[in-house]
């Protein structure tokens, strides 16, 4: 029986009756129970304890009070570390974008020159995306030593995975007619990509890169924890020494930096899309 409303003899619509024992209702109830059970299991595994937060809140307030007044003696050093953080994110995002574009064209199902080879490449790209930037940065610290270069390399690898996936999804949404028309006119693959595909997806690709850059700025603030440069080095030192005044100052700098980058990225995306 259809679940759509039907018109009665008097012209009014009659809503279908809900059968609580129907197969659809039972299936949905079972799915809801499974999801609820999974969430309860996650709560237990995550050791969520609101009472512990309530008990520890006075200590949190006391520690926050120790951060006032903020530490201002090394503002020049903190500012340099903040600029270094933005530089890591910018270089990493630009390099990842240059690498990701040809990879995205290769793995996008509607334009790939080799569907067979695109499958393993897609898996490799997904592996880059699945492993966090901090993990890659830690690995590169062992290879090139401490400093921002390790952070840049780690950010490039992870960002290649993220940007390639988002680029490929954007390319796969474009209509097939322009690509087919370009192919029928005798254009080679390079011309098809340059003149038929790129103009259609360029605003979306630019928006993706700006979003990833914005996200990378936030991520790069913690790369210093593994010795990969940026303002995270100063944050880790302040935490290790329980220097709450310096930690408050660094937190304020991170907040200002991330807010400015977020607003700049949003403004650029509005201009491009």
């Amino acid at each position: 029986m259809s679940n759509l409303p039907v018109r009665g003899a008097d012209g009014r619509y009659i809503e279908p009756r809900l059968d609580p024992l129907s197969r659809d209702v039972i299936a949905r109830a079972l799915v809801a129970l499974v999801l609820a059970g999974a969430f309860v299991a996650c709560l237990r595994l995550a050791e969520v304890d609101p009472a512990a937060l309530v008990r520890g809140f006075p200590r949190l307030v006391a520690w926050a009070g120790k951060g006032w007044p903020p530490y201002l003696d090394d503002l020049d050093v903190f500012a340099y570390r903040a600029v270094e953080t933005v530089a890591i994110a910018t270089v990493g995002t630009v390099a990842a974008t240059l690498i990701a574009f040809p990879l995205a064209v290769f793995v996008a199902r509607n334009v790939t020159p080799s569907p067979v080879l695109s499958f393993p490449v897609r898996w490799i790209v997904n592996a880059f995306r699945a492993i966090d930037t901090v993990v890659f940065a830690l690995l590169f610290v062992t290879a090139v030593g401490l400093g921002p270069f390790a952070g840049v390399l780690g950010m490039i690898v992870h960002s290649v995975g993220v940007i390639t996936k988002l680029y490929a999804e954007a390319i796969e949404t474009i209509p097939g007619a322009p690509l087919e028309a370009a192919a029928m006119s005798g254009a080679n693959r390079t011309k098809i990509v340059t003149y038929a595909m790129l103009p259609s997806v360029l605003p979306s690709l630019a928006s993706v890169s700006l979003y990833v850059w914005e996200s990378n700025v936030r991520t790069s603030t913690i790369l210093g924890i593994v010795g990969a440069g940026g303002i995270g080095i100063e944050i880790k030192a302040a935490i290790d020494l329980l220097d709450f005044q310096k930690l408050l100052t660094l937190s304020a700098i991170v907040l200002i930096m991330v807010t400015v980058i977020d607003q700049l990225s949003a403004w650029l995306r509005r201009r491009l899309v």
Side-chain angles (χ1 to χ4, degrees):
M1 182 178 179
S2 175
N3 289 327
L4 296 176
V6 296
R7 190 186 295 271
D10 57 357
R12 293 183 300 175
Y13 283 104
I14 304 174
E15 296 292 336
R17 295 177 58 186
L18 179 63
D19 184 4
L21 299 179
S22 67
R23 181 179 301 177
D24 290 342
V25 172
I26 293 175
R28 292 175 184 176
L30 289 175
V31 170
L33 287 174
V34 170
L35 293 176
F39 182 71
V40 171
C42 290
L43 288 175
R44 294 181 64 86
L45 290 171
E47 299 181 5
V48 176
D49 186 4
L53 176 60
V54 173
R55 292 192 301 269
F57 190 75
R59 293 195 300 271
L60 179 63
V61 174
W63 286 352
K66 294 179 181 179
W68 191 264
Y71 181 81
L72 304 178
D73 291 349
D74 294 330
L75 275 181
D76 55 339
V77 176
F78 299 160
Y80 175 80
R81 290 298 188 186
V83 173
E84 185 179 74
T85 298
V86 176
I88 292 171
T90 302
V91 175
T93 305
V94 171
T97 298
L98 296 176
I99 299 170
F101 178 73
L103 288 176
V105 174
F106 188 80
V107 303
R109 294 180 178 87
N110 57 338
V111 296
T112 179
S114 176
V116 175
L117 292 179
S118 68
F119 185 75
V121 173
R122 184 183 289 269
W123 272 97
I124 294 172
V125 168
N126 286 339
F128 289 167
R129 181 171 56 89
I131 301 174
D132 193 76
T133 301
V134 177
V135 177
F136 282 122
L138 181 60
L139 295 175
F140 282 115
V141 163
T142 64
V144 302
L146 300 173
F149 184 44
V152 170
L153 294 174
M155 188 158 288
I156 288 173
V157 177
H158 177 73
S159 298
V160 163
V162 175
I163 297 175
T164 300
K165 174 181 172 57
L166 296 177
Y167 273 19
E169 290 180 350
I171 292 171
E172 288 172 352
T173 61
I174 63 176
L179 303 180
E180 295 172 359
M184 292 177 62
S185 68
N188 57 30
R189 184 164 297 277
T190 301
K191 291 183 178 178
I192 291 175
V193 170
T194 304
Y195 298 107
M197 184 201 78
L198 194 56
S200 300
V201 297
L202 187 58
S204 297
L205 302 188
S207 179
V208 166
S209 291
L210 286 171
Y211 176 79
V212 173
W213 175 60
E214 172 188 328
S215 177
N216 283 343
V217 170
R218 293 193 294 269
T219 301
S220 60
T221 60
I222 61 172
L223 290 180
I225 293 177
V226 296
I231 200 169
I233 292 177
E234 302 294 337
I235 293 176
K236 183 178 185 300
I239 293 174
D240 291 342
L241 297 174
L242 296 180
D243 192 339
F244 297 106
Q245 290 179 309
K246 186 177 292 186
L247 184 59
L248 175 62
T249 303
L250 292 167
S251 300
I253 291 174
V254 169
L255 177 61
I256 294 171
M257 177 182 66
V258 171
T259 301
V260 171
I261 294 298
D262 286 354
Q263 293 299 317
L264 176 61
S265 177
W267 179 80
L268 290 173
R269 287 201 302 273
R270 287 195 299 269
R271 301 277 295 185
L272 291 171
V273 179

